[in-house]
Amino acid sequence: MSGQSRAGFEYFGPMATTVLKKKSLGLVDTNVEPAVTPPPAPPEGGTSFAKKPKITSKSRKRDIPEGLWTKCPRCSAMIFDKELDENLKVCPTCNHHFTIGARERIHSLVETCTFEEMDAEMISVDVLGFTGAASYKDKLNSNWRKTNLKDAVVTGIGQIGPHRVALGVMDFSFLGGSMGSVVGEKLTRLIERGTEKNLPVIIISTSGGARMYEGMFSLMQMAKTCAALAYHAQAKLPYVSILTNPDYAGVMASYASVGDLILAEPGALIGFAGPRVIKDTTQAELPPGFQTAEFLLDHGLIDAIVPRKEMKARLIEYLDYLTTGLSARAAKKA
Ligand SMILES: [Zn+2]
């Protein structure tokens, strides 16, 4: 089936699953500022880019080139951007993990020239005709220009060490990593490709939640991705979910939390509703470290915290265990 127009996005390649094609739901509320729900908690010590290092009143501004330095939000160290890039966007002083783009992350994990991207041209359409402070179309346009991405996830097949894997990586810079039809569909196709080719699936997520510009179409993605993962699990193939800062709401309530192995980066904030919402609702003081990766490791939600620089080596190690006998089974199947 190709050339078929589908709800929520435009794509003219082969179809993966059947979805609703109903165009109008009458859900447009022109007075509401569109947002991801629940509102994403501000990443604790999230990215904060300073133009230049701290300078004394005596030093002259023109001595320090702009855009070359980043201030660490945790330890206030001024880090040379080149050094930060080489260190995979991790503060060399205090180990704070800055937000990293999907493509940089893929580059840090897969072997050179092995990543075959899938559905690179799939884009969202404004199914609901959403208008608010800015229309969905305007938001999409500005994010396409700003991020050089087509949507909040990049998917494809690549090689990590000796393992061929189906890899999906989300990017927070595109509309807060919100999950709309494109994110859901691209991940679903990735998982289905993984099932078909007997590959482990790895999804690295960061998200503020479902994309409310797309109303129920974004919520449907939760069920769709999880259904695809259920088939993948039925084929006895491993799924590794990696949670990065921040990871909230609809994404955490669906594919991000159902990994056979759930890893997280240090200090990542992870949850369903944000801490402020929970505090206001329960009227109770939240325990220290609430919703951090470390807190969730102590409470059993995640299996391990893996620093970004160790991620590739640790993934290879885990995949060695998880894929024992997989190639023999694939050969038998063929
Ligand atoms: Zn630092």
Side-chain angles (χ1 to χ4, degrees):
M1 292 195 297
S2 62
Q4 184 182 347
S5 149
R6 306 176 71 191
F9 56 86
E10 279 178 351
Y11 181 75
F12 298 97
M15 294 294 121
T17 49
T18 308
V19 297
L20 287 179
K21 285 190 283 179
K22 198 171 176 183
K23 288 266 174 180
S24 172
L25 294 164
L27 291 176
V28 184
D29 184 348
T30 52
N31 294 320
V32 177
E33 166 68 22
V36 289
T37 50
E44 195 172 68
T47 49
S48 156
F49 295 101
K51 294 271 184 203
K52 55 186 183 290
K54 273 179 191 165
I55 49 170
T56 63
S57 55
K58 281 180 185 169
S59 49
R60 285 182 295 181
K61 273 188 179 177
R62 65 183 170 85
D63 293 338
I64 298 148
E66 289 202 354
L68 285 176
W69 298 84
T70 299
K71 185 181 179 180
C72 174
R74 198 208 269 171
C75 72
S76 298
M78 295 304 302
I79 313 157
F80 192 39
D81 277 356
K82 193 162 174 280
E83 191 189 353
L84 193 59
D85 286 345
E86 284 167 1
N87 209 33
L88 298 179
K89 295 263 163 70
V90 176
C91 173
T93 311
C94 72
N95 207 31
H96 171 71
H97 283 50
F98 287 82
T99 302
I100 188 170
R103 295 200 190 280
E104 282 172 280
R105 200 187 278 281
I106 291 167
H107 183 70
S108 77
L109 291 175
V110 303
E111 309 307 321
T112 315
C113 299
T114 62
F115 190 71
E116 303 155 36
E117 189 170 347
M118 292 167 57
D119 307 312
E121 298 303 316
M122 194 189 289
I123 55 166
S124 290
V125 293
D126 185 13
V127 191
L128 304 180
F130 203 111
T131 52
S135 72
Y136 185 30
K137 275 183 186 160
D138 291 345
K139 280 275 173 193
L140 285 172
N141 272 316
S142 64
N143 276 271
W144 287 328
R145 279 198 304 272
K146 184 184 80 178
T147 61
N148 215 13
L149 292 165
K150 291 277 192 281
D151 215 286
V153 74
V154 179
T155 56
I157 308 293
Q159 185 94 10
I160 300 181
H163 302 282
R164 241 166 88 76
V165 297
L167 177 67
V169 182
M170 297 189 74
D171 195 310
F172 197 76
S173 63
F174 194 98
L175 277 173
S178 52
M179 173 183 57
S181 309
V182 170
V183 169
E185 181 69 12
K186 281 176 84 166
L187 286 175
T188 302
R189 291 180 185 197
L190 177 81
I191 298 159
E192 289 180 346
R193 179 74 61 87
T195 311
E196 186 190 312
K197 303 272 181 197
N198 271 301
L199 300 176
V201 168
I202 299 175
I203 299 176
I204 304 180
S205 45
T206 171
S207 179
R211 190 173 298 171
M212 285 296 102
Y213 295 101
E214 295 186 19
M216 68 170 262
F217 290 104
S218 63
L219 298 178
M220 269 171 46
Q221 310 309 318
M222 296 168 68
K224 191 167 79 178
T225 48
C226 282
L229 282 169
Y231 282 114
H232 185 259
Q234 229 170 44
K236 301 203 184 319
L237 295 163
Y239 163 44
V240 181
S241 172
I242 302 173
L243 314 176
T244 69
N245 187 49
D247 215 327
Y248 274 92
V251 166
M252 248 333 269
S254 58
Y255 57 86
S257 60
V258 296
D260 296 307
L261 192 62
I262 303 179
L263 311 177
E265 284 192 337
L269 287 176
I270 297 157
F272 182 62
R276 197 186 58 233
V277 175
I278 295 176
K279 198 176 167 185
D280 289 351
T281 310
T282 60
Q283 297 290 317
E285 275 306 310
L286 301 175
F290 184 65
Q291 291 191 334
T292 59
E294 290 73 11
F295 183 91
L296 296 171
L297 179 70
D298 283 348
H299 290 79
L301 187 92
I302 59 178
D303 298 304
I305 294 175
V306 182
R308 195 174 288 161
K309 284 195 285 177
E310 291 172 27
M311 190 61 86
K312 183 175 175 176
R314 293 278 287 274
L315 270 178
I316 293 172
E317 196 179 317
Y318 292 138
L319 288 170
D320 285 344
Y321 288 116
L322 291 168
T323 59
T324 309
L326 202 65
S327 45
R329 210 167 73 223
K332 205 174 165 186
K333 207 172 161 185

PDB file of all heavy atoms in Angstrom, residues 66-90:
ATOM      1  N   GLU A  66      32.065  34.856  21.229  1.00  0.00           N
ATOM      2  CA  GLU A  66      30.750  34.394  21.660  1.00  0.00           C
ATOM      3  C   GLU A  66      30.456  33.001  21.120  1.00  0.00           C
ATOM      4  O   GLU A  66      30.961  32.606  20.080  1.00  0.00           O
ATOM      5  CB  GLU A  66      29.685  35.378  21.168  1.00  0.00           C
ATOM      6  CG  GLU A  66      29.744  36.685  21.930  1.00  0.00           C
ATOM      7  CD  GLU A  66      28.432  37.430  21.859  1.00  0.00           C
ATOM      8  OE1 GLU A  66      27.540  36.974  21.134  1.00  0.00           O
ATOM      9  OE2 GLU A  66      28.320  38.462  22.542  1.00  0.00           O
ATOM     10  N   GLY A  67      29.594  32.265  21.839  1.00  0.00           N
ATOM     11  CA  GLY A  67      29.128  30.962  21.367  1.00  0.00           C
ATOM     12  C   GLY A  67      30.163  29.861  21.452  1.00  0.00           C
ATOM     13  O   GLY A  67      30.027  28.827  20.823  1.00  0.00           O
ATOM     14  N   LEU A  68      31.189  30.057  22.201  1.00  0.00           N
ATOM     15  CA  LEU A  68      32.225  29.030  22.296  1.00  0.00           C
ATOM     16  C   LEU A  68      32.226  28.333  23.651  1.00  0.00           C
ATOM     17  O   LEU A  68      32.890  27.338  23.831  1.00  0.00           O
ATOM     18  CB  LEU A  68      33.614  29.646  22.083  1.00  0.00           C
ATOM     19  CG  LEU A  68      33.985  30.014  20.652  1.00  0.00           C
ATOM     20  CD1 LEU A  68      35.333  30.695  20.618  1.00  0.00           C
ATOM     21  CD2 LEU A  68      34.002  28.784  19.768  1.00  0.00           C
ATOM     22  N   TRP A  69      31.480  28.901  24.574  1.00  0.00           N
ATOM     23  CA  TRP A  69      31.497  28.377  25.931  1.00  0.00           C
ATOM     24  C   TRP A  69      30.088  28.042  26.402  1.00  0.00           C
ATOM     25  O   TRP A  69      29.137  28.703  26.034  1.00  0.00           O
ATOM     26  CB  TRP A  69      32.086  29.420  26.894  1.00  0.00           C
ATOM     27  CG  TRP A  69      33.499  29.766  26.577  1.00  0.00           C
ATOM     28  CD1 TRP A  69      33.921  30.688  25.662  1.00  0.00           C
ATOM     29  CD2 TRP A  69      34.686  29.198  27.134  1.00  0.00           C
ATOM     30  NE1 TRP A  69      35.284  30.716  25.625  1.00  0.00           N
ATOM     31  CE2 TRP A  69      35.784  29.814  26.534  1.00  0.00           C
ATOM     32  CE3 TRP A  69      34.907  28.210  28.117  1.00  0.00           C
ATOM     33  CZ2 TRP A  69      37.095  29.491  26.855  1.00  0.00           C
ATOM     34  CZ3 TRP A  69      36.209  27.896  28.439  1.00  0.00           C
ATOM     35  CH2 TRP A  69      37.296  28.529  27.808  1.00  0.00           C
ATOM     36  N   THR A  70      29.992  27.024  27.254  1.00  0.00           N
ATOM     37  CA  THR A  70      28.709  26.673  27.848  1.00  0.00           C
ATOM     38  C   THR A  70      28.907  26.579  29.355  1.00  0.00           C
ATOM     39  O   THR A  70      29.908  26.026  29.811  1.00  0.00           O
ATOM     40  CB  THR A  70      28.224  25.316  27.294  1.00  0.00           C
ATOM     41  OG1 THR A  70      28.056  25.457  25.882  1.00  0.00           O
ATOM     42  CG2 THR A  70      26.900  24.913  27.912  1.00  0.00           C
ATOM     43  N   LYS A  71      27.949  27.142  30.075  1.00  0.00           N
ATOM     44  CA  LYS A  71      28.046  27.095  31.528  1.00  0.00           C
ATOM     45  C   LYS A  71      27.314  25.861  32.046  1.00  0.00           C
ATOM     46  O   LYS A  71      26.165  25.622  31.668  1.00  0.00           O
ATOM     47  CB  LYS A  71      27.415  28.351  32.101  1.00  0.00           C
ATOM     48  CG  LYS A  71      27.552  28.477  33.605  1.00  0.00           C
ATOM     49  CD  LYS A  71      26.880  29.752  34.064  1.00  0.00           C
ATOM     50  CE  LYS A  71      26.982  29.906  35.560  1.00  0.00           C
ATOM     51  NZ  LYS A  71      26.328  31.129  36.018  1.00  0.00           N
ATOM     52  N   CYS A  72      27.972  25.085  32.880  1.00  0.00           N
ATOM     53  CA  CYS A  72      27.315  23.905  33.445  1.00  0.00           C
ATOM     54  C   CYS A  72      26.279  24.365  34.467  1.00  0.00           C
ATOM     55  O   CYS A  72      26.603  25.101  35.394  1.00  0.00           O
ATOM     56  CB  CYS A  72      28.339  22.989  34.100  1.00  0.00           C
ATOM     57  SG  CYS A  72      27.557  21.618  34.961  1.00  0.00           S
ATOM     58  N   PRO A  73      25.025  23.933  34.307  1.00  0.00           N
ATOM     59  CA  PRO A  73      23.991  24.384  35.242  1.00  0.00           C
ATOM     60  C   PRO A  73      24.164  23.797  36.643  1.00  0.00           C
ATOM     61  O   PRO A  73      23.590  24.308  37.596  1.00  0.00           O
ATOM     62  CB  PRO A  73      22.693  23.897  34.606  1.00  0.00           C
ATOM     63  CG  PRO A  73      23.095  22.825  33.688  1.00  0.00           C
ATOM     64  CD  PRO A  73      24.506  23.062  33.263  1.00  0.00           C
ATOM     65  N   ARG A  74      24.927  22.726  36.761  1.00  0.00           N
ATOM     66  CA  ARG A  74      25.067  22.118  38.082  1.00  0.00           C
ATOM     67  C   ARG A  74      26.258  22.682  38.857  1.00  0.00           C
ATOM     68  O   ARG A  74      26.145  23.032  40.019  1.00  0.00           O
ATOM     69  CB  ARG A  74      25.199  20.600  37.959  1.00  0.00           C
ATOM     70  CG  ARG A  74      24.899  19.907  39.283  1.00  0.00           C
ATOM     71  CD  ARG A  74      25.625  18.595  39.421  1.00  0.00           C
ATOM     72  NE  ARG A  74      24.839  17.482  38.934  1.00  0.00           N
ATOM     73  CZ  ARG A  74      25.332  16.256  38.793  1.00  0.00           C
ATOM     74  NH1 ARG A  74      26.595  16.007  39.053  1.00  0.00           N
ATOM     75  NH2 ARG A  74      24.568  15.288  38.360  1.00  0.00           N
ATOM     76  N   CYS A  75      27.430  22.780  38.192  1.00  0.00           N
ATOM     77  CA  CYS A  75      28.625  23.195  38.940  1.00  0.00           C
ATOM     78  C   CYS A  75      29.130  24.565  38.497  1.00  0.00           C
ATOM     79  O   CYS A  75      30.148  25.037  38.997  1.00  0.00           O
ATOM     80  CB  CYS A  75      29.730  22.147  38.803  1.00  0.00           C
ATOM     81  SG  CYS A  75      30.486  22.108  37.171  1.00  0.00           S
ATOM     82  N   SER A  76      28.417  25.187  37.545  1.00  0.00           N
ATOM     83  CA  SER A  76      28.747  26.527  37.058  1.00  0.00           C
ATOM     84  C   SER A  76      30.099  26.620  36.358  1.00  0.00           C
ATOM     85  O   SER A  76      30.565  27.729  36.076  1.00  0.00           O
ATOM     86  CB  SER A  76      28.720  27.557  38.190  1.00  0.00           C
ATOM     87  OG  SER A  76      27.430  27.626  38.719  1.00  0.00           O
ATOM     88  N   ALA A  77      30.705  25.486  36.065  1.00  0.00           N
ATOM     89  CA  ALA A  77      31.984  25.537  35.341  1.00  0.00           C
ATOM     90  C   ALA A  77      31.738  26.036  33.926  1.00  0.00           C
ATOM     91  O   ALA A  77      30.689  25.755  33.333  1.00  0.00           O
ATOM     92  CB  ALA A  77      32.601  24.146  35.298  1.00  0.00           C
ATOM     93  N   MET A  78      32.676  26.805  33.384  1.00  0.00           N
ATOM     94  CA  MET A  78      32.585  27.213  31.992  1.00  0.00           C
ATOM     95  C   MET A  78      33.317  26.158  31.176  1.00  0.00           C
ATOM     96  O   MET A  78      34.471  25.855  31.428  1.00  0.00           O
ATOM     97  CB  MET A  78      33.260  28.576  31.791  1.00  0.00           C
ATOM     98  CG  MET A  78      32.575  29.710  32.533  1.00  0.00           C
ATOM     99  SD  MET A  78      30.820  29.923  32.132  1.00  0.00           S
ATOM    100  CE  MET A  78      30.879  30.176  30.386  1.00  0.00           C
ATOM    101  N   ILE A  79      32.598  25.596  30.219  1.00  0.00           N
ATOM    102  CA  ILE A  79      33.198  24.496  29.439  1.00  0.00           C
ATOM    103  C   ILE A  79      33.335  24.936  27.991  1.00  0.00           C
ATOM    104  O   ILE A  79      32.389  25.474  27.399  1.00  0.00           O
ATOM    105  CB  ILE A  79      32.322  23.223  29.498  1.00  0.00           C
ATOM    106  CG1 ILE A  79      31.894  22.942  30.940  1.00  0.00           C
ATOM    107  CG2 ILE A  79      33.066  22.022  28.939  1.00  0.00           C
ATOM    108  CD1 ILE A  79      30.644  22.112  31.040  1.00  0.00           C
ATOM    109  N   PHE A  80      34.478  24.712  27.430  1.00  0.00           N
ATOM    110  CA  PHE A  80      34.725  25.018  26.034  1.00  0.00           C
ATOM    111  C   PHE A  80      33.831  24.086  25.198  1.00  0.00           C
ATOM    112  O   PHE A  80      33.825  22.876  25.413  1.00  0.00           O
ATOM    113  CB  PHE A  80      36.214  24.775  25.750  1.00  0.00           C
ATOM    114  CG  PHE A  80      36.672  25.315  24.436  1.00  0.00           C
ATOM    115  CD1 PHE A  80      36.223  26.525  23.949  1.00  0.00           C
ATOM    116  CD2 PHE A  80      37.599  24.596  23.672  1.00  0.00           C
ATOM    117  CE1 PHE A  80      36.658  27.019  22.737  1.00  0.00           C
ATOM    118  CE2 PHE A  80      38.030  25.088  22.455  1.00  0.00           C
ATOM    119  CZ  PHE A  80      37.557  26.296  21.985  1.00  0.00           C
ATOM    120  N   ASP A  81      33.069  24.652  24.276  1.00  0.00           N
ATOM    121  CA  ASP A  81      32.082  23.861  23.528  1.00  0.00           C
ATOM    122  C   ASP A  81      32.690  22.645  22.828  1.00  0.00           C
ATOM    123  O   ASP A  81      32.082  21.583  22.763  1.00  0.00           O
ATOM    124  CB  ASP A  81      31.377  24.749  22.498  1.00  0.00           C
ATOM    125  CG  ASP A  81      30.239  25.528  23.145  1.00  0.00           C
ATOM    126  OD1 ASP A  81      29.980  25.306  24.351  1.00  0.00           O
ATOM    127  OD2 ASP A  81      29.610  26.361  22.459  1.00  0.00           O
ATOM    128  N   LYS A  82      33.885  22.849  22.304  1.00  0.00           N
ATOM    129  CA  LYS A  82      34.533  21.748  21.586  1.00  0.00           C
ATOM    130  C   LYS A  82      34.815  20.595  22.563  1.00  0.00           C
ATOM    131  O   LYS A  82      34.585  19.425  22.239  1.00  0.00           O
ATOM    132  CB  LYS A  82      35.836  22.247  20.963  1.00  0.00           C
ATOM    133  CG  LYS A  82      36.445  21.320  19.957  1.00  0.00           C
ATOM    134  CD  LYS A  82      37.461  22.068  19.097  1.00  0.00           C
ATOM    135  CE  LYS A  82      38.198  21.129  18.157  1.00  0.00           C
ATOM    136  NZ  LYS A  82      39.272  20.390  18.803  1.00  0.00           N
ATOM    137  N   GLU A  83      35.247  20.965  23.762  1.00  0.00           N
ATOM    138  CA  GLU A  83      35.532  19.956  24.789  1.00  0.00           C
ATOM    139  C   GLU A  83      34.241  19.248  25.200  1.00  0.00           C
ATOM    140  O   GLU A  83      34.210  18.027  25.373  1.00  0.00           O
ATOM    141  CB  GLU A  83      36.161  20.663  26.002  1.00  0.00           C
ATOM    142  CG  GLU A  83      36.738  19.703  27.027  1.00  0.00           C
ATOM    143  CD  GLU A  83      37.146  20.411  28.314  1.00  0.00           C
ATOM    144  OE1 GLU A  83      37.113  21.657  28.359  1.00  0.00           O
ATOM    145  OE2 GLU A  83      37.483  19.708  29.278  1.00  0.00           O
ATOM    146  N   LEU A  84      33.160  20.031  25.305  1.00  0.00           N
ATOM    147  CA  LEU A  84      31.863  19.465  25.677  1.00  0.00           C
ATOM    148  C   LEU A  84      31.388  18.473  24.609  1.00  0.00           C
ATOM    149  O   LEU A  84      30.887  17.388  24.919  1.00  0.00           O
ATOM    150  CB  LEU A  84      30.846  20.600  25.855  1.00  0.00           C
ATOM    151  CG  LEU A  84      29.528  20.263  26.540  1.00  0.00           C
ATOM    152  CD1 LEU A  84      29.747  19.727  27.941  1.00  0.00           C
ATOM    153  CD2 LEU A  84      28.628  21.494  26.593  1.00  0.00           C
ATOM    154  N   ASP A  85      31.561  18.843  23.352  1.00  0.00           N
ATOM    155  CA  ASP A  85      31.172  17.948  22.254  1.00  0.00           C
ATOM    156  C   ASP A  85      31.992  16.662  22.278  1.00  0.00           C
ATOM    157  O   ASP A  85      31.465  15.562  22.110  1.00  0.00           O
ATOM    158  CB  ASP A  85      31.360  18.645  20.899  1.00  0.00           C
ATOM    159  CG  ASP A  85      30.283  19.698  20.665  1.00  0.00           C
ATOM    160  OD1 ASP A  85      29.275  19.678  21.396  1.00  0.00           O
ATOM    161  OD2 ASP A  85      30.463  20.552  19.773  1.00  0.00           O
ATOM    162  N   GLU A  86      33.280  16.826  22.491  1.00  0.00           N
ATOM    163  CA  GLU A  86      34.156  15.643  22.505  1.00  0.00           C
ATOM    164  C   GLU A  86      33.838  14.736  23.688  1.00  0.00           C
ATOM    165  O   GLU A  86      34.065  13.538  23.641  1.00  0.00           O
ATOM    166  CB  GLU A  86      35.625  16.079  22.570  1.00  0.00           C
ATOM    167  CG  GLU A  86      36.110  16.585  21.215  1.00  0.00           C
ATOM    168  CD  GLU A  86      37.452  17.323  21.297  1.00  0.00           C
ATOM    169  OE1 GLU A  86      38.019  17.433  22.404  1.00  0.00           O
ATOM    170  OE2 GLU A  86      37.907  17.795  20.259  1.00  0.00           O
ATOM    171  N   ASN A  87      33.298  15.326  24.739  1.00  0.00           N
ATOM    172  CA  ASN A  87      32.957  14.563  25.939  1.00  0.00           C
ATOM    173  C   ASN A  87      31.491  14.101  25.903  1.00  0.00           C
ATOM    174  O   ASN A  87      30.886  13.838  26.938  1.00  0.00           O
ATOM    175  CB  ASN A  87      33.212  15.449  27.167  1.00  0.00           C
ATOM    176  CG  ASN A  87      33.579  14.641  28.381  1.00  0.00           C
ATOM    177  OD1 ASN A  87      34.221  13.601  28.267  1.00  0.00           O
ATOM    178  ND2 ASN A  87      33.148  15.095  29.551  1.00  0.00           N
ATOM    179  N   LEU A  88      30.908  14.020  24.704  1.00  0.00           N
ATOM    180  CA  LEU A  88      29.507  13.600  24.507  1.00  0.00           C
ATOM    181  C   LEU A  88      28.537  14.426  25.337  1.00  0.00           C
ATOM    182  O   LEU A  88      27.582  13.897  25.907  1.00  0.00           O
ATOM    183  CB  LEU A  88      29.331  12.104  24.804  1.00  0.00           C
ATOM    184  CG  LEU A  88      30.106  11.129  23.926  1.00  0.00           C
ATOM    185  CD1 LEU A  88      29.849   9.706  24.370  1.00  0.00           C
ATOM    186  CD2 LEU A  88      29.699  11.290  22.458  1.00  0.00           C
ATOM    187  N   LYS A  89      28.770  15.723  25.418  1.00  0.00           N
ATOM    188  CA  LYS A  89      27.896  16.647  26.139  1.00  0.00           C
ATOM    189  C   LYS A  89      27.743  16.268  27.620  1.00  0.00           C
ATOM    190  O   LYS A  89      26.653  16.303  28.186  1.00  0.00           O
ATOM    191  CB  LYS A  89      26.527  16.730  25.453  1.00  0.00           C
ATOM    192  CG  LYS A  89      26.562  17.323  24.041  1.00  0.00           C
ATOM    193  CD  LYS A  89      26.213  18.767  24.047  1.00  0.00           C
ATOM    194  CE  LYS A  89      26.597  19.523  22.798  1.00  0.00           C
ATOM    195  NZ  LYS A  89      25.829  19.200  21.619  1.00  0.00           N
ATOM    196  N   VAL A  90      28.855  15.856  28.218  1.00  0.00           N
ATOM    197  CA  VAL A  90      28.867  15.573  29.652  1.00  0.00           C
ATOM    198  C   VAL A  90      29.885  16.511  30.285  1.00  0.00           C
ATOM    199  O   VAL A  90      30.994  16.649  29.786  1.00  0.00           O
ATOM    200  CB  VAL A  90      29.267  14.098  29.932  1.00  0.00           C
ATOM    201  CG1 VAL A  90      29.368  13.841  31.428  1.00  0.00           C
ATOM    202  CG2 VAL A  90      28.257  13.150  29.298  1.00  0.00           C
TER     203      VAL A  90
END
